[in-house]
Amino acid sequence: MPQDNAAPADGATDGKTARDGNTARVGNANAARDGDARDADAPHAGPAHAGLAHAGPAHADPAHADPADPPASQVTDHGGGVWAVKVPIPDNPLGHTLVHVLDTDRGPVLVDTGWDDPASWDALARGLGTLGFAVADVHGVVITHHHPDHHGLSGQVREASGAWIAMHAADTEVVVRTRSAEPGVWFDYMSEKLATAGAPEEHVAPLRAARASGRLRTLPGLRAAVPDREIVPGELLPLAGRRLRAIWTPGHTPGHVCLHLEEEHPAHLPGNGRLFSGDHLLPGISPHIGLYEDPSDERVTDPLGDYLDSLERIGRLGPAEVLPAHQHAFTDAPARVRELLDHHEERLTGLWRLLAEPLTPWGLAERMEWNRPWEQIPYGSRNIAVSEAEAHLRRLVKQGRAEAVPGTDPVTYRAL
């Protein structure tokens, strides 16, 4: 939730993308509650509000959770003291986040918590109740990344149970920055960023108007819970009676982690344990990869390069089964990794061909393949599209396949 976002701090969205043209998530796999240029209070999409998708390597089949379903239908038993609870994401095509529950010697530990919404909270509590637990029994919360469909309910869980919350330091930094920053700073930053990317004045104007109006609505992420424990890559998490090791997989966010359960698969499937993959590796969706930025930080990051490197790391791990945060569990992670790597190489090559004509990031986004024509993409999702275009441009420049055209303003890029 895929941040182009109300988080006045992080420019990577939580959007996810699907080949079959379905809008894919919150961020985000990540897309809901798309920002509208007519709404001066929310002129850009939040971290879990992608609303568009480019051609992905596999068809997505977003399931829509029904809060009225009996609790048992919301819970999947994966064996070996591991369950998944469907926690709905309001107004989102993916329908739900899969919150995983691990039984430990000190009580249940959650991997992610779901969106901060009363219906989502009720679904989480009902799901735990089906397993014989109360929210008050939760011992700890492990967050794969900071997007609100994953981290949203963490604070409420901690208040009800006293549980600790663990997150990678890079994403904790985003949470702290977001909570402390003045929202107007983000509006100023986004206005300048989009203008520099070649956005037309009519697109930038709503951001400036919202800033001038002073009516800056509270959006997801501004009140996210600050974690009290750090996930250290390569180290085991403190789970009594379980072996859960953190693997840093940046790309979708700077601090995204996958979690490797170093235990034999309960059905004795071949492979190396089980992997809680968050949004990094999904069976039919390619996660949105945009820029993750701090308005005060001038470093040039390479999120797409980070993501591709992280994919290869997971492919080498070879888990017996992958338990993602959306869609469904699956096997043969190396094959899915190869599929995603091939997809991104094809996409980069296609964009390189587009740059035979020098283009701004906005111009490239207009020509990229999305799940609908550019004219039909809502306002906030266009911001996310530009972020994704810039992430691809950075990768092409780093590969020596493109360069900025000297003296252009806004800056245009051309193929080499």
Side-chain angles (χ1 to χ4, degrees):
M1 335 173 181
Q3 277 90 11
D4 260 326
N5 142 346
D10 191 350
T13 68
D14 185 17
K16 304 174 181 64
T17 61
R19 167 190 279 172
D20 61 2
N22 288 320
T23 296
R25 175 187 17 218
V26 283
N28 208 126
N30 311 146
R33 302 186 174 189
D34 207 341
D36 192 316
R38 295 169 296 179
D39 182 356
D41 288 336
H44 57 282
H49 305 59
L52 77 162
H54 64 60
H59 293 280
D61 184 17
H64 292 263
D66 183 354
D69 282 352
S73 70
Q74 299 295 100
V75 176
T76 301
D77 186 352
H78 289 292
V82 177
W83 303 270
V85 178
K86 294 180 181 178
V87 176
I89 311 168
D91 304 321
N92 189 283
L94 280 183
H96 57 263
T97 300
L98 294 172
V99 173
H100 290 96
V101 183
L102 284 76
D103 193 14
T104 79
D105 292 345
R106 294 186 182 176
V109 169
L110 306 183
V111 177
D112 294 332
T113 58
W115 190 277
D116 184 4
D117 180 81
S120 305
W121 174 259
D122 290 346
L124 178 60
R126 288 198 312 269
L128 288 170
T130 300
L131 302 176
F133 301 123
V135 176
D137 298 327
V138 174
H139 173 62
V141 175
V142 185
I143 300 299
T144 60
H145 62 296
H146 73 82
H147 288 157
D149 58 322
H150 298 259
H151 182 44
L153 286 173
S154 300
Q156 197 168 343
V157 170
R158 181 165 60 188
E159 290 174 6
S161 65
W164 47 262
I165 301 173
M167 184 184 286
H168 188 281
D171 271 19
T172 295
E173 180 183 349
V174 174
V175 171
V176 172
R177 202 165 60 221
T178 299
R179 287 171 57 98
S180 61
E182 158 59 42
V185 172
W186 185 248
F187 279 77
D188 292 340
Y189 172 77
M190 282 300 299
S191 298
E192 177 62 25
K193 191 83 172 74
L194 286 165
T196 301
E201 177 57 30
E202 58 267 27
H203 185 87
V204 181
L207 286 163
R208 296 194 175 117
R211 176 69 165 101
S213 73
R215 297 184 298 117
L216 306 179
R217 188 175 67 185
T218 298
L219 292 177
L222 296 182
R223 293 193 296 251
V226 176
D228 46 74
R229 294 194 182 186
E230 179 180 343
I231 294 176
V232 179
E235 291 190 2
L236 290 170
L237 278 80
L239 307 187
R242 309 304 297 252
R243 290 186 58 84
L244 188 68
R245 193 177 301 277
I247 303 172
W248 185 33
T249 51
H252 186 53
T253 71
H256 191 291
V257 294
C258 291
L259 301 154
H260 184 211
L261 190 59
E262 297 179 341
E263 302 170 7
E264 185 178 4
H265 192 282
H268 307 294
L269 296 181
N272 189 12
R274 290 184 280 182
L275 185 77
F276 299 99
S277 65
D279 285 354
H280 183 69
L281 189 63
L282 301 164
I285 297 174
S286 173
H288 166 77
I289 309 297
L291 302 184
Y292 31 78
E293 311 173 294
D294 174 355
S296 65
D297 189 348
E298 297 183 357
R299 290 176 297 179
V300 178
T301 58
D302 180 18
L304 183 54
D306 291 345
Y307 178 67
L308 298 176
D309 290 344
S310 300
L311 275 178
E312 292 183 342
R313 190 177 310 131
I314 294 303
R316 291 191 295 270
L317 179 66
E321 187 176 28
V322 179
L323 305 178
H326 301 282
Q327 298 191 295
H328 54 81
F330 63 99
T331 57
D332 202 352
R336 179 61 179 147
V337 165
R338 287 193 299 272
E339 197 172 38
L340 285 163
L341 291 172
D342 289 347
H343 158 68
H344 282 287
E345 179 53 38
E346 290 172 7
R347 187 160 180 76
L348 284 166
T349 299
L351 299 184
W352 174 77
R353 292 193 181 106
L354 288 175
L355 293 175
E357 168 196 356
L359 295 170
T360 64
W362 179 276
L364 183 62
E366 286 182 307
R367 292 162 176 78
M368 290 170 71
E369 182 181 353
W370 307 107
N371 69 350
R372 69 195 93 169
W374 182 257
E375 296 74 21
Q376 297 176 20
I377 295 176
Y379 181 93
S381 291
R382 292 189 182 193
N383 295 345
I384 292 169
V386 174
S387 179
E388 184 152 329
E390 290 188 291
H392 282 77
L393 281 169
R394 289 188 183 185
R395 179 96 289 252
L396 287 170
V397 169
K398 190 167 185 178
Q399 291 177 330
R401 299 165 71 184
E403 67 176 0
V405 179
T408 54
D409 184 18
V411 178
T412 60
Y413 293 81
R414 64 190 175 197
L416 291 175

